[in-house]
Amino acid sequence: AEQTAISPKKLEKKLKSSKKLENVAVKGKVTDVCDKKGCWLTVETDDNEKFFVKMKDYAFFVPTALKGKNIVLEGSAETKIISVDEQKHYAEDAKKSQAEINAITKPQEEIRFVANGIKVVN
């Protein structure tokens, strides 16, 4: 699947025209993993864009050891408006400082990726 992986920049362009994409593969570097049970992670791409990944139906969890690794994710992507409450919730999960949490004041549009497979490439 690696050769079909697209950059999140391309993903973003594609999502402009359709709200949801099925069966896409994206390549990036893991910057954050949920401490609790590896139920989500943040991936950073070549152009320093970050996006948020959840595991499909919580069917599998990712080890926190994935942090810093390059991975290829397979799954579906969509654009979503994330509420202030939800953003704060994730910021708390990620152990962000109170100042960072307080700085969240408006909903933001985000690419949400729901992964059904992850492959480490380095």
Side-chain angles (χ1 to χ4, degrees):
E2 206 178 316
Q3 58 283 359
T4 56
I6 59 174
S7 72
K9 262 279 179 273
K10 278 197 192 122
L11 186 64
E12 224 169 304
K13 282 202 186 82
K14 284 190 173 181
L15 281 169
K16 293 253 185 293
S17 50
S18 68
K19 275 289 174 231
K20 187 164 182 172
L21 293 168
E22 297 286 349
N23 301 323
V24 281
V26 179
K27 205 170 175 174
K29 182 178 179 178
V30 179
T31 55
D32 247 331
V33 179
C34 171
D35 278 352
K36 290 207 181 87
K37 48 182 191 294
C39 45
W40 55 260
L41 48 96
T42 316
V43 173
E44 189 172 16
T45 63
D46 307 341
D47 41 28
N48 302 316
E49 291 272 328
K50 286 194 175 156
F51 68 105
F52 190 88
V53 181
K54 285 177 107 156
M55 306 307 131
K56 188 176 171 58
D57 308 324
Y58 296 111
F60 63 97
F61 300 111
V62 289
T64 42
L66 271 189
K67 217 172 178 166
K69 299 258 196 292
N70 290 306
I71 57 168
V72 172
L73 294 159
E74 292 172 29
S76 61
E78 60 186 319
T79 317
K80 273 197 167 153
I81 303 292
I82 311 302
S83 71
V84 171
D85 282 352
E86 194 179 342
Q87 289 179 61
K88 289 191 174 191
H89 171 74
Y90 285 119
E92 281 162 18
D93 271 2
K95 309 256 189 293
K96 299 274 190 260
S97 70
Q98 195 54 51
E100 284 176 284
I101 292 169
N102 294 345
I104 300 168
T105 54
K106 54 182 197 294
Q108 67 179 53
E109 192 176 48
E110 231 182 60
I111 293 177
R112 277 291 164 96
F113 197 92
V114 179
N116 49 33
I118 290 183
K119 205 162 85 198
V120 177
V121 288
N122 64 340

